[in-house]
């Protein structure tokens, strides 16, 4: 595969675009790549497997991917229609956000989802406890309409099956010849981060441990390799005992308070028998 990288059409917190070269270098050969936490799909877009099984727990995300896979032309035309200067306005944004939250129409929600992703603050995808999308207006000069990226994703999606299941169920679908790559919500870098920044993502340390157990069993009992990304902390190194660990110097800064900025490295844990 050439060194030119493909960008995802969604803005995504924690997206793997900047790390795809390192991830790709560690992914073993296989027929099918399984991603239990596909997110914006940077690893999918920048690898070459025969087939893909792509999962996310967010039904809005998976429904969008299925619609783009099945009818790219009409989806892209309808999504483009919302990318106008008049719609780059707080009042319009909140009107569309409310429309999204009230709608039960899968297609309409998928069109609005891309608008909210590009016009909302920092490309965040966040819902309140009632399941309502609650990201505020982003105040960007001119949000970018990712037409080329949408077409590229749709074209590559011919090789993909999209599902919306808990990660453990996705692991149970793995067969010989599969490779699994996991990009879960990251473990907290401190107890403070655990309480503030990560509260409510529904993926605590119990889930981190369960994911590591799934990876260990799948790799060592079934011979299916599993690669996991996470923060490089003492806790994650303990959780991933038995895996081959590679530290990445990412140079992102995570800050709870302005005067306590700390450089955070990432870890790639490869389970392979």
């Amino acid at each position: 595969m050439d060194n030119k990288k493909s960008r995802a059409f969604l803005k995504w917190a924690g997206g793997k675009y900047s790390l795809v070269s390192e991830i790709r270098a560690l992914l073993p050969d296989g027929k099918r790549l399984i991603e239990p936490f596909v997110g914006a799909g940077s690893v999918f877009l920048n690898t070459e497997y025969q087939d893909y099984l792509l999962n996310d727990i967010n039904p809005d995300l998976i429904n969008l991917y299925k619609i783009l896979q099945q009818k790219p032309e009409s989806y892209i035309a309808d999504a483009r229609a919302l990318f106008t200067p008049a719609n780059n306005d707080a009042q319009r944004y909140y009107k569309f956000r409310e429309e999204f939250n009230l709608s039960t129409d899968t297609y309409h929600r998928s069109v609005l989802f891309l608008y909210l992703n590009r016009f909302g603050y920092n490309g965040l995808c966040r819902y309140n406890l009632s399941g309502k999308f609650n990201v505020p207006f982003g105040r960007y000069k001119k949000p970018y309409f990712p037409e080329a990226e949408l077409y590229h994703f749709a074209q590559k999606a011919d090789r993909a099956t999209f599902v919306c299941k808990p990660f453990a169920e996705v692991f149970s679908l793995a067969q010989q010849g599969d490779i699994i790559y996991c990009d879960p919500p990251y473990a907290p870098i401190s107890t403070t981060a655990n309480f503030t920044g990560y509260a409510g993502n529904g993926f605590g340390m119990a889930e981190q441990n369960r994911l590591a157990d799934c990876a260990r069993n799948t790799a060592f009992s079934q011979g299916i390799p599993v690669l996991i990304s996470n923060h490089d902390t003492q806790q994650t190194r303990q959780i991933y005992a038995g895996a081959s660990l590679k530290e990445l110097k990412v140079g992102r800064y995570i800050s709870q308070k302005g005067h306590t900025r700390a450089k955070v490295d990432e870890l790639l844990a490869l389970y392979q028998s």
Side-chain angles (χ1 to χ4, degrees):
M1 181 160 183
D2 62 37
N3 289 322
K4 189 176 182 300
K5 295 197 293 185
S6 299
R7 282 197 179 273
F9 66 85
L10 292 168
K11 294 165 77 174
W12 207 254
K16 287 294 168 288
Y17 178 79
S18 62
L19 295 179
V20 289
S21 300
E22 290 86 347
I23 292 166
R24 205 161 56 196
L26 284 184
L27 280 171
D29 291 333
K31 290 182 179 175
R32 179 173 70 162
L33 180 68
I34 298 178
E35 290 196 59
F37 309 87
V38 68
S42 286
V43 172
F44 157 60
L45 291 167
N46 290 284
T47 49
E48 287 299 332
Y49 289 89
Q50 288 175 33
D51 296 293
Y52 293 85
L53 178 61
L54 305 176
N55 178 78
D56 202 277
I57 202 66
N58 182 339
D60 287 317
L61 184 67
I62 293 302
N63 285 331
L64 189 167
Y65 289 163
K66 286 179 176 176
I67 286 165
L68 183 58
Q69 179 189 48
Q70 291 155 14
K71 38 187 165 188
E73 297 289 346
S74 55
Y75 177 80
I76 291 169
D78 291 336
R80 189 195 297 112
L82 292 180
F83 281 65
T84 65
N87 285 339
N88 191 20
D89 168 83
Q91 204 173 345
R92 289 279 185 97
Y93 175 86
Y94 291 117
K95 178 183 142 315
F96 282 129
R97 192 179 77 174
E98 186 182 14
E99 206 176 293
F100 174 85
N101 284 326
L102 293 173
S103 177
T104 55
D105 181 271
T106 305
Y107 185 83
H108 189 49
R109 281 177 73 91
S110 72
V111 171
L112 288 171
F113 189 85
L114 180 58
Y115 166 84
L116 294 170
N117 174 264
R118 286 279 169 178
F119 287 73
Y121 180 73
N122 255 7
L124 292 174
C125 184
R126 194 183 64 200
Y127 301 79
N128 64 21
L129 293 175
S130 307
K132 304 296 185 191
F133 189 87
N134 66 354
V135 175
F137 181 56
R139 305 192 182 283
Y140 298 109
K141 248 183 185 171
K142 188 185 178 185
Y144 170 68
F145 182 64
E147 183 158 351
E149 292 86 346
L150 283 159
Y151 274 114
H152 179 64
F153 189 102
Q155 185 181 19
K156 190 152 189 186
D158 282 348
R159 293 189 235 169
T161 300
F162 296 101
V163 291
C164 185
K165 298 174 182 291
F167 71 82
E169 288 185 31
V170 181
F171 269 84
S172 71
L173 300 173
Q175 301 167 354
Q176 290 303 312
D178 289 342
I179 309 297
I180 301 176
Y181 169 65
C182 298
D183 181 26
Y186 274 18
I189 51 168
S190 68
T191 49
T192 315
N194 192 27
F195 181 72
T196 57
Y198 289 81
N201 75 356
F203 208 90
M205 291 315 297
E207 284 82 6
Q208 299 284 355
N209 277 294
R210 199 154 69 92
L211 175 59
D213 288 341
C214 275
R216 210 172 285 116
N217 293 338
T218 303
F220 301 137
S221 302
Q222 298 175 58
I224 296 167
V226 182
L227 181 66
I228 307 178
S229 302
N230 215 318
H231 280 143
D232 185 0
T233 68
Q234 194 178 349
Q235 210 168 16
T236 53
R237 283 178 177 263
Q238 287 170 352
I239 289 171
Y240 299 141
S244 166
L245 302 180
K246 180 178 172 63
E247 182 183 327
L248 295 179
K249 292 287 181 190
V250 178
R252 281 188 305 114
Y253 286 87
I254 289 186
S255 170
Q256 295 303 123
K257 298 188 178 79
H259 61 278
T260 55
R261 289 162 68 88
K263 199 168 184 177
V264 178
D265 292 320
E266 299 201 10
L267 202 60
L268 285 171
L270 177 64
Y271 292 89
Q272 191 170 23
S273 57

